Amino acid sequence: MSEAPPSVDQMLCFAVYAAGHAFTRFYKPRLDALELTYPQYLAMLVLWESDDITVKALGARLFLDSGTITPLLKRLEARGLVLRQRDSVDERQVRIRLTPEGRAMRDRALAIPLAVAKGTGLTLEGGEALRRELLALRERLDAALD
Amino acid sequence: MSEAPPSVDQMLCFAVYAAGHAFTRFYKPRLDALELTYPQYLAMLVLWESDDITVKALGARLFLDSGTITPLLKRLEARGLVLRQRDSVDERQVRIRLTPEGRAMRDRALAIPLAVAKGTGLTLEGGEALRRELLALRERLDAALD
DNA sequence: GAAATTTACATAGCGCGCAATTAGATTGCG
DNA sequence: CGCAATCTAATTGCGCGCTATGTAAATTTC
């Protein structure tokens, strides 16, 4: 008779995993109005804050690599929301810039965070405390990678 | 001049999203030894706890639907870890049962949670508190789904 | 007890997310 | 200068995760 593994319900990693999916599901109807997926929305948020950045910088911000971001950006480009252009100084880099349409979407996206805040049922302080704990957790996990 | 959207770094949903990926990355080298992906590992955890359950019940446990789970279980079956068999009483249902190989993997998987607990750098109580907050958050998000 | 509805699972298509590989540009060093 | 080492992005392949659709079996309705 050996020790039993924990139940998934008792595991922190599963709570994070399931909460992440719940967030994506919750955002979906709101993002459908903008015809954006959740990862695309995150990329747009970064661009609204820091326009004209490289693929590398965007990936660092979202903790994603080019294998994930390049096709995502190509879809945003096909939608006419961003431009992808080689940097003329350093041709290895590709710079991402918002089109006027991409910039214009910012205002329509403003209502989303408010709706989401309601859905979480958290106070500002409660949400902030939870966010900070998750940030610290992510940093420790990344630091402990082998 | 209009209001600005929040930075991704300030958003709770992004903290959950990024922590989820960090967990997956952290698990990967440990799970490589078992040749399991992270979602496959979660499914095996449920089966080690509740063998001989339906696809529906497994999906409810992991908050995933048949479109996600069916191919995952087919891969586990191809690996010889589980059997998929129609229920003879209610032929709509497919019951999932561990093979001896699937059961035997349980002992090898026991070391993983311990390594992960170290990686999080959290105390038992701290991790438990965070898990509970995320559980409550997921429930509120699901409940607020339109 | 036949028709309508519901339930459980399978399938197909799309978009991530990651690892591994490739291609091209830049840097570094003799 | 020349050539290797390094860096950056793109590409490819696989496994989720979801939506929509299909199919067959069970249940409900009348």
Side-chain angles (χ1 to χ4, degrees):
Chain A
M1 186 64 188
S2 59
E3 203 183 348
S7 166
V8 281
D9 302 309
Q10 298 167 5
M11 295 171 67
L12 175 59
C13 64
F14 178 67
V16 174
Y17 170 88
H21 292 163
F23 258 126
T24 301
R25 282 191 292 266
F26 188 81
Y27 268 96
K28 178 142 201 324
R30 279 95 189 161
L31 291 176
D32 279 349
L34 304 177
E35 293 180 283
L36 289 179
T37 65
Y38 179 66
Q40 287 169 4
Y41 170 66
L42 294 179
M44 292 299 288
L45 278 174
V46 172
L47 289 168
W48 287 324
E49 183 184 351
S50 322
D51 198 358
D52 194 8
I53 59 175
T54 63
V55 172
K56 180 84 170 173
L58 180 56
R61 203 67 193 286
L62 299 179
F63 306 102
L64 299 172
D65 69 1
S66 78
T68 299
I69 290 187
T70 295
L72 183 153
L73 290 173
K74 284 187 171 182
R75 283 185 280 271
L76 291 181
E77 186 179 42
R79 289 257 332 262
L81 298 175
V82 306
L83 292 172
R84 296 161 59 246
Q85 201 167 9
R86 292 259 164 211
D87 187 309
S88 55
V89 176
D90 183 345
E91 299 238 343
R92 290 169 303 184
Q93 302 183 10
V94 170
R95 304 196 73 85
I96 310 298
R97 286 178 295 124
L98 289 167
T99 62
E101 294 77 30
R103 254 188 304 280
M105 184 180 274
R106 202 192 77 142
D107 289 343
R108 287 196 289 148
L110 280 173
I112 297 180
L114 304 174
V116 173
K118 265 204 185 95
T120 66
L122 288 168
T123 63
L124 262 186
E125 312 83 54
E128 186 57 15
L130 185 51
R131 188 188 64 75
R132 263 193 253 275
E133 287 187 85
L134 288 164
L135 174 63
L137 173 59
R138 183 190 55 65
E139 283 176 345
R140 281 193 301 268
L141 286 171
D142 281 345
L145 264 181
D146 298 307
Chain B
M1 187 65 186
S2 61
E3 203 183 349
S7 166
V8 282
D9 302 310
Q10 298 168 5
M11 295 171 67
L12 175 59
C13 64
F14 178 67
V16 174
Y17 171 88
H21 293 162
F23 258 126
T24 301
R25 282 191 293 266
F26 188 81
Y27 268 96
K28 177 140 202 325
R30 280 93 189 164
L31 291 176
D32 279 348
L34 305 177
E35 291 180 283
L36 289 179
T37 66
Y38 178 67
Q40 286 169 4
Y41 170 66
L42 294 180
M44 292 299 289
L45 277 175
V46 172
L47 290 168
W48 287 325
E49 183 185 353
S50 322
D51 197 358
D52 194 7
I53 60 175
T54 64
V55 171
K56 178 84 172 174
L58 180 55
R61 203 66 192 284
L62 299 179
F63 304 101
L64 299 172
D65 68 2
S66 78
T68 299
I69 291 188
T70 295
L72 183 154
L73 290 172
K74 283 188 168 184
R75 284 185 279 271
L76 291 181
E77 185 179 42
R79 289 260 328 265
L81 297 176
V82 307
L83 293 173
R84 297 162 58 247
Q85 201 167 10
R86 291 265 163 204
D87 187 309
S88 55
V89 175
D90 184 343
E91 298 237 342
R92 290 171 304 181
Q93 302 183 9
V94 170
R95 304 197 74 86
I96 310 299
R97 285 178 297 123
L98 290 167
T99 62
E101 294 77 27
R103 253 188 304 280
M105 183 180 275
R106 202 191 76 142
D107 288 343
R108 287 195 290 149
L110 280 174
I112 297 179
L114 304 174
V116 173
K118 265 203 187 97
T120 65
L122 289 168
T123 62
L124 262 186
E125 311 83 56
E128 185 58 15
L130 185 52
R131 188 188 64 75
R132 263 193 252 275
E133 287 187 85
L134 288 165
L135 174 63
L137 173 59
R138 183 191 55 65
E139 283 176 344
R140 281 193 300 268
L141 286 172
D142 282 344
L145 264 180
D146 297 306

